[in-house]
Amino acid sequence: MPRIRIVLCRPSHPGNIGAAARAMKTMGLSDLRLVAPERFPAPEAGWMATNAVDVLASARIHNSLREAIGDCVAAFAMSARPREWSPQVLDVRTAAARAMSCDGDVAFVFGNETAGLTNEEMFACQFLVHIPASAEFSSLNLAQAVQVTAYELFMTNAPAVQGRSEKLATVDDIEGLYAHLEQAALSTGFMAPGSRLRERWRRLFSRVPALEREEVNILRGLLRALLGK
Ligand code: SAH
């Protein structure tokens, strides 16, 4: 697994540094680097970091971007603006997948709130990464851009949201239900022999992604009750 670091170049608002630390911690990241921050440490950073003050406290301060990313095997420059000349352009989701397949330290590099990344900072990286956004106003707040990026990194190998782990119905269970439905439909005169109704309920149940055995049993119990058996 690569080690991901978040690098903020010349951030001017300490509150954004704190908010970025919080964004990182919610997504399991902890390596924060600050390149020549205008004001840090600062109380506003702590206020915005809330429970992520540990990320702030361990943030490393560098004099230059080169110093912050020198030992990385890949660096991704984050920018809202397309540029005429740039390294290879990726969207943030693709970049996150790419980063997670690296073996070594990887940096996501963010620009200053007002000016963004300089050309020199961008060309110190191998990729230029956009977070897709409205064409009319695509510039996210710095910490929010960090949040989206950290989220995309997290989602590359997030455990699927755990549902209830019930026993799933087997093919035999479901065929049993179909047969039961057919028997009920025929014996009540609802379905004429040779009708295509059976395909309709197969189609219906095929759209249920994970039918549980218990759910099949409930439906069959209902059919039994309706048929008076
Ligand atoms: N006004 C600056 C943007 C500053 S926003 C400009 O025009 O460049 C601060 C930083 O957040 C940016 O430098 C960039 O690293 C990141 N960011 C904001 N919106 C982004 C987006 N849509 N895609 C990628 N990065 C973005």
Side-chain angles (χ1 to χ4, degrees):
M1 281 270 284
R3 277 184 311 218
I4 306 288
R5 75 180 64 163
I6 298 293
V7 182
L8 307 184
C9 291
R10 301 166 289 103
S12 38
H13 301 295
N16 276 334
I17 302 175
R22 179 179 186 166
M24 288 170 65
K25 188 162 180 176
T26 57
M27 299 294 141
L29 300 179
S30 57
D31 190 353
L32 174 60
R33 312 295 181 101
L34 307 172
V35 178
E38 210 166 286
R39 198 154 54 80
F40 189 80
E44 300 97 300
W47 302 338
M48 293 302 281
T50 61
N51 278 333
V53 282
D54 54 328
V55 175
L56 268 191
S58 61
R60 287 170 59 180
I61 298 180
H62 299 279
N63 291 320
S64 68
L65 174 59
R66 179 63 192 280
E67 189 186 298
I69 65 174
D71 57 339
C72 288
V73 295
F76 296 82
M78 301 300 300
S79 174
R81 281 180 291 136
R83 320 239 179 163
E84 196 180 352
W85 298 101
S86 76
Q88 190 184 342
V89 176
L90 301 175
D91 66 84
V92 67
R93 189 160 296 173
T94 310
R98 189 98 174 217
M100 294 307 274
S101 71
C102 288
D103 188 11
D105 287 22
V106 172
F108 280 83
V109 180
F110 294 80
N112 164 271
E113 291 92 330
T114 356
L117 289 171
T118 64
N119 270 334
E120 198 185 336
E121 286 166 337
M122 174 186 68
F123 274 111
C125 303
Q126 294 85 47
F127 303 94
L128 180 66
V129 180
H130 299 306
I131 297 168
S134 166
E136 313 217 323
F137 183 42
S138 61
S139 176
L140 280 70
N141 160 270
L142 170 58
Q144 289 169 353
V146 171
Q147 181 76 73
V148 172
T149 306
Y151 171 77
E152 289 294 343
L153 287 160
F154 186 79
M155 287 303 285
T156 57
N157 58 9
V161 175
Q162 289 292 315
R164 304 184 315 133
S165 64
E166 295 302 324
K167 268 219 160 51
L168 294 185
T170 62
V171 170
D172 284 345
D173 293 330
I174 298 172
E175 287 299 333
L177 172 63
Y178 292 155
H180 208 152
L181 280 168
E182 187 163 342
Q183 184 205 340
L186 286 170
S187 72
T188 54
F190 179 72
M191 175 172 114
S195 147
R196 296 182 59 104
L197 204 55
R198 57 169 66 82
E199 279 107 49
R200 297 297 294 269
W201 63 58
R202 275 175 192 268
R203 210 164 73 95
L204 164 67
F205 282 105
S206 72
R207 294 202 298 275
V208 181
L211 204 56
E212 294 167 11
R213 176 167 280 173
E214 197 186 322
E215 292 164 339
V216 169
N217 288 339
I218 290 169
L219 289 173
R220 295 196 63 180
L222 172 66
L223 288 171
R224 257 193 308 280
L226 290 174
L227 292 172
K229 286 181 206 158

